[in-house]
Amino acid sequence: MAATVLVATGSPANAAGTGTGYLHTSGNKIVDSTGATVRLTGINWFGMETDNKTFHGLWASNPWRSQLDLMANLGYNTIRVPFSDDALKPGAQATSVNTASNPDLIGLSPLQILDKVVDYAGQKGMRIILDRHRPTSAGQTALWYTSTVPESTWLADWKSLAQHYAGNTTVIGADLHNEPHADGTNPNATGSCWGCGDQARDWRLAAERAGNAILSVQPNWLIFVEGVSCPSGGLSNVWDNDTSNDEDCGWWGGNLTKAGQFPVRLNVANRLVYSPHEYATSVYHQPWFDDPTYPANMPAIWDKYFGYIYKQNIAPIMVGEFGTTLASNTDKIWLQELMKYLGTGVNGMSFTYWSWNPNSGDTGGILKDDWATVDQAKQSIISPYLIPPVGGNPQSPSASPSVSPSVSPSASPSASPSASPSASPSASPSASPSGNGGKSCTATYKVVNQYSGGFQGEVTVKAGGSAISGWTVKWAFPNGQSISQLWNGTLSASGSNVTVTNMSYNGALGAGASTAFGFNASWSGTNGVPSQVTCTAS
């Protein structure tokens, strides 16, 4: 990776949801090249940091492009991509890729697969944040370097990635190192500190070195800096039973209490974004969950750890990870309250939810184990806060056959699962405009993924020559198909007749602008295309 520098170009992001051109900061806002405020409302798709060295779920029956289509249709406008330095080594090999559902990935290196994801995400108006998650695929580390992966490797790999994606505005920045945290006990702390001044442990100083190294070759990137867990870098009395040297500790990567006093200083102005992590009881039962005032106590805790940075207009906040299994009511309340805290609309704090993957042991994912079905309990809480990418052109891969769905194991498989391809899904547009007082819209129906007994559909709604405030799409299934799940719209079905109306966030469309909703449905015998799909504007 460090020896060979390539330049990867892709479709520039030009969507209203994620702005135009490269992004920078202004106070606590992220803004685009025109100065318009942008809010990143994204998702983590992990795997490139593991032994597989590429995205998890490529072993599944749902092709990778279909998964990106679904992300965008659900409203996620940004993908945070964890990786390890192992995936960037010369000769690194991606494993557990289902070659039946993803034939276009056969023989590609981890970086080449990432290039394809970046390119397609850019076509859809999405943005990519690269997250150096681990020095090696073996696991998390308290410091940003190890005996086998020195700081020089960390810096060189970041500079190479920055040069590799130079000019590609889909890739907007670097999350420098995932979850620096405490190790050892005070006063003999050995973990990442913030503001302690020790060059070998002070994460704030290391973030400055890495951020400035990246900006020296790619001055347009945002630099995302996580917190630590304990500012001293030492563990609390949970471990040593000595209360005399304890401090305020939080989640790994989540404690930015010292950032106001000891800010990260970059050589290029308006590039710094602080990126804390925040989790629920399914990850660890923090004491604040037992407070008798819960959840009323949580805003003050969030203010203390990271929110003050946003509220004092110091810098933008992007919560890089937060997630839950929703196994308890405490967790459901936590997620609801955190989303409220982050705020609504374009002026809220940015975030990337953990995770897309169903195989995250602590949290599960937005997807269920088939890598195609959405966990609606989670999505329904997050959905009102999402700002979908707009302006991209979703494409269904004509070369990728659909395959019968199979449930992927919760642990990463060591070999590619076998799958039998079925007939390619029919890309079947059917559009019909309808007017109302000079307002009009069209609806285009297509099948993006089909397998035995089921399929995934997508309908693109496009406004006519004038702006509209809402839309209603109707059709009749010709062969008894039945929708089991629909996103980015409100479904009403009676027999074969289907009516879908807009959500609160995607009804207003400018002249010629478009949005899309998707659905999962069942079929048997024949999966015919509706003969007429009507769109009525308001």
Side-chain angles (χ1 to χ4, degrees), residues 70-89:
L70 181 54
M71 284 183 204
N73 288 342
L74 289 173
Y76 297 100
N77 64 31
T78 302
I79 308 171
R80 180 174 178 261
V81 180
F83 69 90
S84 77
D85 294 74
D86 282 350
L88 305 180
K89 289 181 177 179

Side-chain angles (χ1 to χ4, degrees), residues 42-46 49 80 82 131 133 279 320-324 352-356 360 363-365:
I43 193 86
N44 284 268
W45 190 7
F46 69 78
E49 83 282 16
R80 180 174 178 261
D131 157 45
H133 211 71
Y279 278 106
E321 292 183 17
F322 64 105
T324 168
T352 49
Y353 183 80
W354 186 276
S355 63
W356 182 245
S360 175
T363 64

Side-chain angles (χ1 to χ4, degrees), residues 300-317:
I301 290 171
W302 294 325
D303 282 349
K304 176 181 65 177
Y305 283 124
F306 60 85
Y308 75 95
I309 294 172
Y310 184 86
K311 292 184 175 181
Q312 294 178 23
N313 205 36
I314 296 170
I317 289 291

Side-chain angles (χ1 to χ4, degrees), residues 69 73 120 124 393-397 425-430 443-449 455-460 516-519 527 529-530 533:
D69 289 340
N73 288 342
Y120 191 57
K124 303 184 76 63
N393 296 308
Q395 298 177 0
S396 182
S426 56
S428 41
S430 174
T444 304
Y445 177 108
K446 69 177 179 179
V447 175
V448 296
N449 188 22
F455 71 101
Q456 180 185 327
E458 180 181 274
V459 176
T460 300
F517 62 87
F519 59 88
N527 188 22
V529 177
V533 182

Side-chain angles (χ1 to χ4, degrees), residues 268-285:
V268 180
N270 303 316
R271 296 295 183 270
L272 174 65
V273 179
Y274 288 108
S275 186
H277 291 186
E278 169 69 16
Y279 278 106
T281 60
S282 58
V283 176
Y284 182 75
H285 194 94

